Amino acid sequence: MKIKRNTLLTLAGLALLVGAIAAADATLGRFSVRILNLSAIYIVLALSLNLLNGFTGLFSLGHAGFMAVGAYVSALLTMSPAQKDMNFFLEPIMPFLRDIQLPFPLALLAAGACAGLVAVVIGVPALRLRDDYLAIATLGFAEIIRVLITNAQSLTNGAQGLKAITKYSTTWVVWSVAALSVVFMLALVRSSYGRTMKAVRDDEVAAEAMGVNVFKVKSTSFVISSFMAGVGGALLGHMITTIDPKMFTLTLTFNILLIVVLGGNGSITGSVIGAIVVTVLMEALRFLDMPMNFLFIKTNGLPGLRMVIFSILLMIVVLYRQRGLMGNKEFDWDGFIGIFRRKGASSAGGRS
Amino acid sequence: MISTRDVSMRFGGLTAVSDLNIEIQKNEIVGLIGPNGAGKTTAFNAITGVYRPTEGRVVFKGRDITGQKPHAITKLGIARTFQNIRLWTDMDVLENVLVACHLRMDVGVFASTLHLPGYRVKERRSREFAMSLLESVGLADQAREAATSLPYGKQRRLEIVRALATEPSLLLLDEPAAGMNPQESLELMDFIGSIRDRYDLTILLIEHHMQVVMGVCTRMYVLDYGVTIAHGTPDEIRRDPKVIEAYLGVD
């Protein structure tokens, strides 16, 4: 009975969500739709980082690198030879790459696969490290990837980047991928394999003693996370339609980390909420960077002021809700209805 | 069942264990005792693969397992508990046991994420097995509670249950009675005996609580400063002057 009610509520919620996205896509302006879609991409990215950080306990700062790999692979695979010729005006593109053109879904998968492959190469040596050391190593690898991309002129067009990438990341595409990621993560985390990941996070020594192949679990998590980061990066490229190496710096990784920490390390719900809140705020607070006029005091615009707001927000969350908005809890209907019940009960008590 | 052959464990200039020779037959319950810092836990770590012995070999069921990874050794059938309880804090009681069941489930990341039919069957079987284990120690009612919310004695039991869930043939218990009151210790003795019979186990245990060791073990080894100073039946050990000296400091 109760289970049936929750299933109905979930279906209703999903229908509402699909309706809301459809309505937003149809009525909102291009700028707003873009923010909406950016949130979806950040959901994918935040989930992928959360898999590492929140569920396997690996502190990695290499996400921007894997996103770059994904973005470049997908962009190069979907461009027509003519577009490539237009982009590579300094030095011609490698001949075999020039003639390859794949449909977008395949290119997206290839983007993830390549990012995953890079993760295998990087992960094997780096995953022997722990905690902060791993973070520094992955950070270094991400920078190496970026420098390689900047200098591989005939492969990536170097610092000029790639322009006129086809805009495949429509509202439906990005939100479908986001939904798929959420479902995938839920299924993974609730499975037996997901439990071993949490065991590795909570106590590695105990996990090993109970027969968990810690290195394998860590590697798997690292590769899956990188696959998702690659897909997210590819979607981002196909939304902005231009990519260049400067996009994929540490700042990008930190934005995703901010989402994960704000939402709650180890909470899928938290990552979803965090991704939407941070993306929307990031744009909504843009006026802070503009020149402002408070009647008597005029400022010339302080680029980066909105990041100050984020820093303050992060500090507040870290001080008052150490584990983020959701902690490591997930959304469920019983808890959700419980909140209203309690509020209703207390207000009813107040009246009498 | 298991034997260590001249196993030595050195950390820099410190010899934590030297020339350890333990030999345990099937279904025996053997004790490993000694004063603090005698190298008992180090011996455990050398057997279970946490450390690679500096010298010597560990042979389990006629197979050299020296230097293998801990998870591989667990797969061969050696499970252990820890001196300072190491439960997974963010999981409930049942999940703690289920993680240990994963070893024998033999499912990969894809099968379990996609919840394929084969995985579902194995998952259900694991849950039943885990619940039956929890029931046997009276923890079934608390299966859904956070593992760390259990009282100390029950956490120790849960650790033993978790080790049993890997379906071992040799169980290493590191101070199972630590922090238990006399009543709990007595129950523990019965419990150790009963799991030996029910799951056809061989048990090696480290213990400071003499009443427990003497009561449950058929044989014991005594370590002092990494050196095996005595071994024999509880009665022999009790009368051994070297043991008395090590424990009471006769000069």
Side-chain angles (χ1 to χ4, degrees), chain A residues 187-188 191-193 195 199 202-203 207-210 212-213 323 328, chain B residues 71 74 80 82 86 88 90-91 98 102-103 105 112-113 115 119 123:
Chain A
L188 173 61
S191 74
S192 185
Y193 208 89
R195 279 195 299 266
D202 284 354
D203 192 327
E208 220 169 16
M210 292 306 124
V212 176
N213 188 339
R323 309 197 62 179
N328 60 353
Chain B
H71 65 85
T74 308
R80 69 173 293 184
F82 294 91
R86 280 179 177 268
W88 295 300
D90 267 1
M91 292 189 215
L98 283 174
H102 182 78
L103 173 67
M105 277 169 76
S112 58
T113 305
H115 289 71
Y119 163 77
E123 170 82 9

PDB file of all heavy atoms in Angstrom, chain A residues 187-188 191-193 195 199 202-203 207-210 212-213 323 328, chain B residues 71 74 80 82 86 88 90-91 98 102-103 105 112-113 115 119 123:
ATOM      1  N   ALA A 187      21.346   2.975  -8.993  1.00  0.00           N
ATOM      2  CA  ALA A 187      21.467   1.523  -9.150  1.00  0.00           C
ATOM      3  C   ALA A 187      22.834   1.038  -8.680  1.00  0.00           C
ATOM      4  O   ALA A 187      22.946   0.020  -8.004  1.00  0.00           O
ATOM      5  CB  ALA A 187      21.242   1.140 -10.602  1.00  0.00           C
ATOM      6  N   LEU A 188      23.874   1.801  -9.009  1.00  0.00           N
ATOM      7  CA  LEU A 188      25.227   1.402  -8.635  1.00  0.00           C
ATOM      8  C   LEU A 188      25.415   1.442  -7.120  1.00  0.00           C
ATOM      9  O   LEU A 188      25.886   0.488  -6.502  1.00  0.00           O
ATOM     10  CB  LEU A 188      26.256   2.307  -9.316  1.00  0.00           C
ATOM     11  CG  LEU A 188      27.714   2.127  -8.908  1.00  0.00           C
ATOM     12  CD1 LEU A 188      28.193   0.715  -9.220  1.00  0.00           C
ATOM     13  CD2 LEU A 188      28.619   3.126  -9.596  1.00  0.00           C
ATOM     14  N   SER A 191      23.758  -1.253  -5.162  1.00  0.00           N
ATOM     15  CA  SER A 191      24.092  -2.639  -5.479  1.00  0.00           C
ATOM     16  C   SER A 191      25.182  -3.142  -4.553  1.00  0.00           C
ATOM     17  O   SER A 191      25.752  -2.395  -3.761  1.00  0.00           O
ATOM     18  CB  SER A 191      24.573  -2.735  -6.926  1.00  0.00           C
ATOM     19  OG  SER A 191      25.875  -2.206  -7.015  1.00  0.00           O
ATOM     20  N   SER A 192      25.466  -4.415  -4.688  1.00  0.00           N
ATOM     21  CA  SER A 192      26.497  -5.031  -3.865  1.00  0.00           C
ATOM     22  C   SER A 192      27.850  -4.368  -4.124  1.00  0.00           C
ATOM     23  O   SER A 192      28.632  -4.141  -3.203  1.00  0.00           O
ATOM     24  CB  SER A 192      26.558  -6.521  -4.180  1.00  0.00           C
ATOM     25  OG  SER A 192      27.463  -7.154  -3.334  1.00  0.00           O
ATOM     26  N   TYR A 193      28.095  -4.043  -5.399  1.00  0.00           N
ATOM     27  CA  TYR A 193      29.366  -3.401  -5.729  1.00  0.00           C
ATOM     28  C   TYR A 193      29.449  -2.012  -5.094  1.00  0.00           C
ATOM     29  O   TYR A 193      30.494  -1.606  -4.597  1.00  0.00           O
ATOM     30  CB  TYR A 193      29.527  -3.293  -7.251  1.00  0.00           C
ATOM     31  CG  TYR A 193      30.968  -3.295  -7.683  1.00  0.00           C
ATOM     32  CD1 TYR A 193      31.622  -4.485  -7.959  1.00  0.00           C
ATOM     33  CD2 TYR A 193      31.682  -2.106  -7.778  1.00  0.00           C
ATOM     34  CE1 TYR A 193      32.945  -4.499  -8.328  1.00  0.00           C
ATOM     35  CE2 TYR A 193      33.019  -2.124  -8.154  1.00  0.00           C
ATOM     36  CZ  TYR A 193      33.638  -3.317  -8.424  1.00  0.00           C
ATOM     37  OH  TYR A 193      34.957  -3.325  -8.782  1.00  0.00           O
ATOM     38  N   ARG A 195      28.100  -1.127  -2.356  1.00  0.00           N
ATOM     39  CA  ARG A 195      28.382  -1.294  -0.928  1.00  0.00           C
ATOM     40  C   ARG A 195      29.869  -1.464  -0.679  1.00  0.00           C
ATOM     41  O   ARG A 195      30.408  -0.932   0.288  1.00  0.00           O
ATOM     42  CB  ARG A 195      27.617  -2.504  -0.384  1.00  0.00           C
ATOM     43  CG  ARG A 195      26.172  -2.216  -0.055  1.00  0.00           C
ATOM     44  CD  ARG A 195      25.604  -3.334   0.810  1.00  0.00           C
ATOM     45  NE  ARG A 195      25.633  -4.614   0.147  1.00  0.00           N
ATOM     46  CZ  ARG A 195      24.621  -5.125  -0.540  1.00  0.00           C
ATOM     47  NH1 ARG A 195      23.496  -4.477  -0.645  1.00  0.00           N
ATOM     48  NH2 ARG A 195      24.727  -6.303  -1.111  1.00  0.00           N
ATOM     49  N   ALA A 199      32.387   0.670   1.668  1.00  0.00           N
ATOM     50  CA  ALA A 199      33.254   0.014   2.654  1.00  0.00           C
ATOM     51  C   ALA A 199      34.689   0.515   2.507  1.00  0.00           C
ATOM     52  O   ALA A 199      35.360   0.786   3.500  1.00  0.00           O
ATOM     53  CB  ALA A 199      33.197  -1.501   2.479  1.00  0.00           C
ATOM     54  N   ASP A 202      34.814   3.944   4.064  1.00  0.00           N
ATOM     55  CA  ASP A 202      34.731   4.000   5.531  1.00  0.00           C
ATOM     56  C   ASP A 202      35.957   3.414   6.211  1.00  0.00           C
ATOM     57  O   ASP A 202      36.414   3.935   7.220  1.00  0.00           O
ATOM     58  CB  ASP A 202      33.487   3.250   6.022  1.00  0.00           C
ATOM     59  CG  ASP A 202      32.227   4.044   5.787  1.00  0.00           C
ATOM     60  OD1 ASP A 202      32.344   5.204   5.358  1.00  0.00           O
ATOM     61  OD2 ASP A 202      31.132   3.517   6.026  1.00  0.00           O
ATOM     62  N   ASP A 203      36.456   2.313   5.729  1.00  0.00           N
ATOM     63  CA  ASP A 203      37.640   1.706   6.341  1.00  0.00           C
ATOM     64  C   ASP A 203      38.287   0.747   5.355  1.00  0.00           C
ATOM     65  O   ASP A 203      37.805  -0.359   5.135  1.00  0.00           O
ATOM     66  CB  ASP A 203      37.252   0.959   7.626  1.00  0.00           C
ATOM     67  CG  ASP A 203      38.479   0.570   8.434  1.00  0.00           C
ATOM     68  OD1 ASP A 203      39.528   0.279   7.828  1.00  0.00           O
ATOM     69  OD2 ASP A 203      38.392   0.557   9.667  1.00  0.00           O
ATOM     70  N   ALA A 207      37.940  -3.324   4.781  1.00  0.00           N
ATOM     71  CA  ALA A 207      37.406  -3.771   3.493  1.00  0.00           C
ATOM     72  C   ALA A 207      38.317  -4.833   2.883  1.00  0.00           C
ATOM     73  O   ALA A 207      37.862  -5.866   2.407  1.00  0.00           O
ATOM     74  CB  ALA A 207      37.272  -2.579   2.546  1.00  0.00           C
ATOM     75  N   GLU A 208      39.618  -4.567   2.942  1.00  0.00           N
ATOM     76  CA  GLU A 208      40.578  -5.505   2.384  1.00  0.00           C
ATOM     77  C   GLU A 208      40.513  -6.840   3.118  1.00  0.00           C
ATOM     78  O   GLU A 208      40.538  -7.901   2.501  1.00  0.00           O
ATOM     79  CB  GLU A 208      41.979  -4.902   2.506  1.00  0.00           C
ATOM     80  CG  GLU A 208      42.825  -5.146   1.307  1.00  0.00           C
ATOM     81  CD  GLU A 208      44.092  -4.327   1.353  1.00  0.00           C
ATOM     82  OE1 GLU A 208      44.446  -3.808   2.423  1.00  0.00           O
ATOM     83  OE2 GLU A 208      44.729  -4.228   0.296  1.00  0.00           O
ATOM     84  N   ALA A 209      40.403  -6.760   4.434  1.00  0.00           N
ATOM     85  CA  ALA A 209      40.366  -7.978   5.237  1.00  0.00           C
ATOM     86  C   ALA A 209      39.089  -8.779   4.984  1.00  0.00           C
ATOM     87  O   ALA A 209      39.060  -9.981   5.204  1.00  0.00           O
ATOM     88  CB  ALA A 209      40.483  -7.639   6.721  1.00  0.00           C
ATOM     89  N   MET A 210      38.030  -8.106   4.535  1.00  0.00           N
ATOM     90  CA  MET A 210      36.793  -8.820   4.258  1.00  0.00           C
ATOM     91  C   MET A 210      36.711  -9.251   2.793  1.00  0.00           C
ATOM     92  O   MET A 210      35.640  -9.524   2.269  1.00  0.00           O
ATOM     93  CB  MET A 210      35.573  -7.953   4.614  1.00  0.00           C
ATOM     94  CG  MET A 210      35.419  -7.718   6.096  1.00  0.00           C
ATOM     95  SD  MET A 210      35.399  -9.256   7.030  1.00  0.00           S
ATOM     96  CE  MET A 210      36.727  -8.964   8.158  1.00  0.00           C
ATOM     97  N   VAL A 212      37.482  -7.545  -0.003  1.00  0.00           N
ATOM     98  CA  VAL A 212      37.225  -6.564  -1.056  1.00  0.00           C
ATOM     99  C   VAL A 212      38.551  -6.214  -1.731  1.00  0.00           C
ATOM    100  O   VAL A 212      39.507  -5.842  -1.055  1.00  0.00           O
ATOM    101  CB  VAL A 212      36.582  -5.286  -0.471  1.00  0.00           C
ATOM    102  CG1 VAL A 212      36.417  -4.233  -1.554  1.00  0.00           C
ATOM    103  CG2 VAL A 212      35.244  -5.609   0.160  1.00  0.00           C
ATOM    104  N   ASN A 213      38.582  -6.353  -3.037  1.00  0.00           N
ATOM    105  CA  ASN A 213      39.782  -5.998  -3.790  1.00  0.00           C
ATOM    106  C   ASN A 213      39.824  -4.472  -3.918  1.00  0.00           C
ATOM    107  O   ASN A 213      39.263  -3.887  -4.838  1.00  0.00           O
ATOM    108  CB  ASN A 213      39.739  -6.658  -5.167  1.00  0.00           C
ATOM    109  CG  ASN A 213      41.037  -6.498  -5.916  1.00  0.00           C
ATOM    110  OD1 ASN A 213      41.831  -5.602  -5.615  1.00  0.00           O
ATOM    111  ND2 ASN A 213      41.265  -7.344  -6.881  1.00  0.00           N
ATOM    112  N   ARG A 323      28.216  18.425   6.674  1.00  0.00           N
ATOM    113  CA  ARG A 323      28.128  17.372   5.664  1.00  0.00           C
ATOM    114  C   ARG A 323      27.320  17.804   4.452  1.00  0.00           C
ATOM    115  O   ARG A 323      26.874  16.997   3.674  1.00  0.00           O
ATOM    116  CB  ARG A 323      27.552  16.110   6.279  1.00  0.00           C
ATOM    117  CG  ARG A 323      28.314  15.737   7.548  1.00  0.00           C
ATOM    118  CD  ARG A 323      28.075  14.335   7.950  1.00  0.00           C
ATOM    119  NE  ARG A 323      28.536  13.403   6.935  1.00  0.00           N
ATOM    120  CZ  ARG A 323      28.452  12.095   7.068  1.00  0.00           C
ATOM    121  NH1 ARG A 323      27.934  11.585   8.146  1.00  0.00           N
ATOM    122  NH2 ARG A 323      28.871  11.306   6.112  1.00  0.00           N
ATOM    123  N   ASN A 328      24.639  12.609   3.921  1.00  0.00           N
ATOM    124  CA  ASN A 328      24.745  11.504   2.972  1.00  0.00           C
ATOM    125  C   ASN A 328      23.375  10.842   2.789  1.00  0.00           C
ATOM    126  O   ASN A 328      23.270   9.697   2.397  1.00  0.00           O
ATOM    127  CB  ASN A 328      25.795  10.487   3.422  1.00  0.00           C
ATOM    128  CG  ASN A 328      25.466   9.899   4.768  1.00  0.00           C
ATOM    129  OD1 ASN A 328      24.530  10.344   5.432  1.00  0.00           O
ATOM    130  ND2 ASN A 328      26.208   8.897   5.176  1.00  0.00           N
TER     131      ASN A 328
ATOM    132  N   HIS B  71      43.005  -9.367   0.446  1.00  0.00           N
ATOM    133  CA  HIS B  71      41.713  -9.831  -0.065  1.00  0.00           C
ATOM    134  C   HIS B  71      41.831 -11.207  -0.714  1.00  0.00           C
ATOM    135  O   HIS B  71      40.904 -12.013  -0.641  1.00  0.00           O
ATOM    136  CB  HIS B  71      41.125  -8.810  -1.044  1.00  0.00           C
ATOM    137  CG  HIS B  71      41.921  -8.632  -2.300  1.00  0.00           C
ATOM    138  ND1 HIS B  71      41.748  -9.460  -3.385  1.00  0.00           N
ATOM    139  CD2 HIS B  71      42.880  -7.757  -2.644  1.00  0.00           C
ATOM    140  CE1 HIS B  71      42.570  -9.078  -4.349  1.00  0.00           C
ATOM    141  NE2 HIS B  71      43.278  -8.047  -3.924  1.00  0.00           N
ATOM    142  N   THR B  74      41.840 -13.676   2.103  1.00  0.00           N
ATOM    143  CA  THR B  74      40.480 -13.856   2.616  1.00  0.00           C
ATOM    144  C   THR B  74      39.699 -14.784   1.697  1.00  0.00           C
ATOM    145  O   THR B  74      38.930 -15.626   2.142  1.00  0.00           O
ATOM    146  CB  THR B  74      39.758 -12.495   2.725  1.00  0.00           C
ATOM    147  OG1 THR B  74      40.582 -11.604   3.454  1.00  0.00           O
ATOM    148  CG2 THR B  74      38.429 -12.649   3.425  1.00  0.00           C
ATOM    149  N   ARG B  80      39.332 -12.473   9.597  1.00  0.00           N
ATOM    150  CA  ARG B  80      39.844 -11.971  10.866  1.00  0.00           C
ATOM    151  C   ARG B  80      38.937 -10.890  11.450  1.00  0.00           C
ATOM    152  O   ARG B  80      38.088 -10.341  10.767  1.00  0.00           O
ATOM    153  CB  ARG B  80      41.232 -11.373  10.670  1.00  0.00           C
ATOM    154  CG  ARG B  80      41.188 -10.088   9.864  1.00  0.00           C
ATOM    155  CD  ARG B  80      42.524  -9.424   9.809  1.00  0.00           C
ATOM    156  NE  ARG B  80      42.931  -8.940  11.123  1.00  0.00           N
ATOM    157  CZ  ARG B  80      44.041  -8.252  11.338  1.00  0.00           C
ATOM    158  NH1 ARG B  80      44.836  -7.952  10.329  1.00  0.00           N
ATOM    159  NH2 ARG B  80      44.357  -7.835  12.533  1.00  0.00           N
ATOM    160  N   PHE B  82      39.337  -7.352  14.269  1.00  0.00           N
ATOM    161  CA  PHE B  82      40.377  -6.389  14.633  1.00  0.00           C
ATOM    162  C   PHE B  82      40.347  -6.074  16.123  1.00  0.00           C
ATOM    163  O   PHE B  82      39.297  -6.102  16.764  1.00  0.00           O
ATOM    164  CB  PHE B  82      40.200  -5.102  13.836  1.00  0.00           C
ATOM    165  CG  PHE B  82      40.418  -5.284  12.371  1.00  0.00           C
ATOM    166  CD1 PHE B  82      39.362  -5.596  11.532  1.00  0.00           C
ATOM    167  CD2 PHE B  82      41.691  -5.175  11.838  1.00  0.00           C
ATOM    168  CE1 PHE B  82      39.562  -5.776  10.180  1.00  0.00           C
ATOM    169  CE2 PHE B  82      41.896  -5.357  10.488  1.00  0.00           C
ATOM    170  CZ  PHE B  82      40.832  -5.658   9.658  1.00  0.00           C
ATOM    171  N   ARG B  86      36.733  -2.370  13.786  1.00  0.00           N
ATOM    172  CA  ARG B  86      36.745  -1.669  12.506  1.00  0.00           C
ATOM    173  C   ARG B  86      35.496  -2.000  11.715  1.00  0.00           C
ATOM    174  O   ARG B  86      35.556  -2.678  10.694  1.00  0.00           O
ATOM    175  CB  ARG B  86      37.971  -2.082  11.692  1.00  0.00           C
ATOM    176  CG  ARG B  86      39.250  -1.394  12.100  1.00  0.00           C
ATOM    177  CD  ARG B  86      40.370  -1.920  11.240  1.00  0.00           C
ATOM    178  NE  ARG B  86      41.619  -1.261  11.530  1.00  0.00           N
ATOM    179  CZ  ARG B  86      42.056  -0.185  10.899  1.00  0.00           C
ATOM    180  NH1 ARG B  86      41.327   0.372   9.955  1.00  0.00           N
ATOM    181  NH2 ARG B  86      43.212   0.357  11.208  1.00  0.00           N
ATOM    182  N   TRP B  88      32.209  -0.636   9.457  1.00  0.00           N
ATOM    183  CA  TRP B  88      32.011   0.503   8.555  1.00  0.00           C
ATOM    184  C   TRP B  88      30.943   1.398   9.153  1.00  0.00           C
ATOM    185  O   TRP B  88      29.780   0.996   9.284  1.00  0.00           O
ATOM    186  CB  TRP B  88      31.641   0.007   7.165  1.00  0.00           C
ATOM    187  CG  TRP B  88      32.774  -0.741   6.575  1.00  0.00           C
ATOM    188  CD1 TRP B  88      34.016  -0.256   6.325  1.00  0.00           C
ATOM    189  CD2 TRP B  88      32.813  -2.116   6.189  1.00  0.00           C
ATOM    190  NE1 TRP B  88      34.818  -1.239   5.791  1.00  0.00           N
ATOM    191  CE2 TRP B  88      34.104  -2.380   5.701  1.00  0.00           C
ATOM    192  CE3 TRP B  88      31.865  -3.146   6.197  1.00  0.00           C
ATOM    193  CZ2 TRP B  88      34.479  -3.634   5.231  1.00  0.00           C
ATOM    194  CZ3 TRP B  88      32.241  -4.379   5.724  1.00  0.00           C
ATOM    195  CH2 TRP B  88      33.535  -4.622   5.254  1.00  0.00           C
ATOM    196  N   ASP B  90      29.366   4.196   8.381  1.00  0.00           N
ATOM    197  CA  ASP B  90      28.199   4.796   7.723  1.00  0.00           C
ATOM    198  C   ASP B  90      27.206   3.762   7.211  1.00  0.00           C
ATOM    199  O   ASP B  90      26.343   4.076   6.416  1.00  0.00           O
ATOM    200  CB  ASP B  90      28.651   5.703   6.572  1.00  0.00           C
ATOM    201  CG  ASP B  90      28.814   7.133   7.039  1.00  0.00           C
ATOM    202  OD1 ASP B  90      28.599   7.374   8.241  1.00  0.00           O
ATOM    203  OD2 ASP B  90      29.149   8.000   6.217  1.00  0.00           O
ATOM    204  N   MET B  91      27.343   2.537   7.650  1.00  0.00           N
ATOM    205  CA  MET B  91      26.431   1.494   7.172  1.00  0.00           C
ATOM    206  C   MET B  91      25.689   0.880   8.343  1.00  0.00           C
ATOM    207  O   MET B  91      26.153   0.920   9.480  1.00  0.00           O
ATOM    208  CB  MET B  91      27.225   0.393   6.487  1.00  0.00           C
ATOM    209  CG  MET B  91      27.857   0.822   5.210  1.00  0.00           C
ATOM    210  SD  MET B  91      28.520  -0.639   4.414  1.00  0.00           S
ATOM    211  CE  MET B  91      29.940   0.046   3.673  1.00  0.00           C
ATOM    212  N   LEU B  98      26.696  -7.707   4.635  1.00  0.00           N
ATOM    213  CA  LEU B  98      26.532  -7.920   3.196  1.00  0.00           C
ATOM    214  C   LEU B  98      27.813  -7.610   2.412  1.00  0.00           C
ATOM    215  O   LEU B  98      28.099  -8.269   1.421  1.00  0.00           O
ATOM    216  CB  LEU B  98      25.378  -7.068   2.665  1.00  0.00           C
ATOM    217  CG  LEU B  98      23.977  -7.589   2.969  1.00  0.00           C
ATOM    218  CD1 LEU B  98      22.932  -6.586   2.516  1.00  0.00           C
ATOM    219  CD2 LEU B  98      23.735  -8.929   2.303  1.00  0.00           C
ATOM    220  N   HIS B 102      29.909 -10.125  -0.313  1.00  0.00           N
ATOM    221  CA  HIS B 102      30.217  -9.792  -1.710  1.00  0.00           C
ATOM    222  C   HIS B 102      31.296 -10.702  -2.279  1.00  0.00           C
ATOM    223  O   HIS B 102      31.250 -11.094  -3.441  1.00  0.00           O
ATOM    224  CB  HIS B 102      30.655  -8.336  -1.807  1.00  0.00           C
ATOM    225  CG  HIS B 102      30.953  -7.890  -3.203  1.00  0.00           C
ATOM    226  ND1 HIS B 102      29.958  -7.578  -4.097  1.00  0.00           N
ATOM    227  CD2 HIS B 102      32.115  -7.737  -3.870  1.00  0.00           C
ATOM    228  CE1 HIS B 102      30.501  -7.249  -5.256  1.00  0.00           C
ATOM    229  NE2 HIS B 102      31.807  -7.318  -5.148  1.00  0.00           N
ATOM    230  N   LEU B 103      32.260 -11.048  -1.442  1.00  0.00           N
ATOM    231  CA  LEU B 103      33.385 -11.876  -1.868  1.00  0.00           C
ATOM    232  C   LEU B 103      32.930 -13.163  -2.552  1.00  0.00           C
ATOM    233  O   LEU B 103      33.473 -13.556  -3.570  1.00  0.00           O
ATOM    234  CB  LEU B 103      34.239 -12.195  -0.634  1.00  0.00           C
ATOM    235  CG  LEU B 103      35.373 -13.185  -0.804  1.00  0.00           C
ATOM    236  CD1 LEU B 103      36.446 -12.621  -1.695  1.00  0.00           C
ATOM    237  CD2 LEU B 103      35.947 -13.536   0.552  1.00  0.00           C
ATOM    238  N   MET B 105      29.936 -13.722  -3.777  1.00  0.00           N
ATOM    239  CA  MET B 105      28.842 -13.534  -4.733  1.00  0.00           C
ATOM    240  C   MET B 105      29.341 -13.615  -6.162  1.00  0.00           C
ATOM    241  O   MET B 105      28.606 -14.004  -7.054  1.00  0.00           O
ATOM    242  CB  MET B 105      28.164 -12.179  -4.506  1.00  0.00           C
ATOM    243  CG  MET B 105      27.128 -12.221  -3.398  1.00  0.00           C
ATOM    244  SD  MET B 105      26.589 -10.561  -2.965  1.00  0.00           S
ATOM    245  CE  MET B 105      25.514 -10.204  -4.339  1.00  0.00           C
ATOM    246  N   SER B 112      25.929  -6.086 -11.207  1.00  0.00           N
ATOM    247  CA  SER B 112      25.249  -5.612 -10.005  1.00  0.00           C
ATOM    248  C   SER B 112      24.579  -4.258 -10.237  1.00  0.00           C
ATOM    249  O   SER B 112      23.512  -3.995  -9.698  1.00  0.00           O
ATOM    250  CB  SER B 112      26.198  -5.578  -8.805  1.00  0.00           C
ATOM    251  OG  SER B 112      27.306  -4.772  -9.052  1.00  0.00           O
ATOM    252  N   THR B 113      25.181  -3.404 -11.059  1.00  0.00           N
ATOM    253  CA  THR B 113      24.532  -2.115 -11.309  1.00  0.00           C
ATOM    254  C   THR B 113      23.256  -2.298 -12.114  1.00  0.00           C
ATOM    255  O   THR B 113      22.234  -1.672 -11.833  1.00  0.00           O
ATOM    256  CB  THR B 113      25.472  -1.171 -12.084  1.00  0.00           C
ATOM    257  OG1 THR B 113      26.676  -1.065 -11.368  1.00  0.00           O
ATOM    258  CG2 THR B 113      24.862   0.197 -12.247  1.00  0.00           C
ATOM    259  N   HIS B 115      21.463  -4.813 -12.099  1.00  0.00           N
ATOM    260  CA  HIS B 115      20.575  -5.711 -11.365  1.00  0.00           C
ATOM    261  C   HIS B 115      20.094  -6.847 -12.264  1.00  0.00           C
ATOM    262  O   HIS B 115      18.900  -7.121 -12.369  1.00  0.00           O
ATOM    263  CB  HIS B 115      19.386  -4.953 -10.779  1.00  0.00           C
ATOM    264  CG  HIS B 115      19.789  -4.060  -9.635  1.00  0.00           C
ATOM    265  ND1 HIS B 115      20.519  -2.917  -9.810  1.00  0.00           N
ATOM    266  CD2 HIS B 115      19.572  -4.151  -8.308  1.00  0.00           C
ATOM    267  CE1 HIS B 115      20.742  -2.335  -8.631  1.00  0.00           C
ATOM    268  NE2 HIS B 115      20.174  -3.064  -7.717  1.00  0.00           N
ATOM    269  N   TYR B 119      22.325 -11.650 -10.708  1.00  0.00           N
ATOM    270  CA  TYR B 119      22.727 -10.870  -9.541  1.00  0.00           C
ATOM    271  C   TYR B 119      21.627 -10.851  -8.493  1.00  0.00           C
ATOM    272  O   TYR B 119      21.883 -10.989  -7.297  1.00  0.00           O
ATOM    273  CB  TYR B 119      23.080  -9.435  -9.966  1.00  0.00           C
ATOM    274  CG  TYR B 119      23.110  -8.457  -8.811  1.00  0.00           C
ATOM    275  CD1 TYR B 119      24.193  -8.427  -7.948  1.00  0.00           C
ATOM    276  CD2 TYR B 119      22.037  -7.599  -8.571  1.00  0.00           C
ATOM    277  CE1 TYR B 119      24.220  -7.558  -6.882  1.00  0.00           C
ATOM    278  CE2 TYR B 119      22.058  -6.725  -7.511  1.00  0.00           C
ATOM    279  CZ  TYR B 119      23.154  -6.705  -6.665  1.00  0.00           C
ATOM    280  OH  TYR B 119      23.160  -5.845  -5.600  1.00  0.00           O
ATOM    281  N   GLU B 123      22.029 -11.821  -4.708  1.00  0.00           N
ATOM    282  CA  GLU B 123      21.797 -10.794  -3.694  1.00  0.00           C
ATOM    283  C   GLU B 123      20.782 -11.299  -2.660  1.00  0.00           C
ATOM    284  O   GLU B 123      20.971 -11.125  -1.462  1.00  0.00           O
ATOM    285  CB  GLU B 123      21.302  -9.507  -4.373  1.00  0.00           C
ATOM    286  CG  GLU B 123      20.791  -8.421  -3.428  1.00  0.00           C
ATOM    287  CD  GLU B 123      21.897  -7.567  -2.819  1.00  0.00           C
ATOM    288  OE1 GLU B 123      23.051  -7.682  -3.248  1.00  0.00           O
ATOM    289  OE2 GLU B 123      21.587  -6.797  -1.883  1.00  0.00           O
TER     290      GLU B 123
END
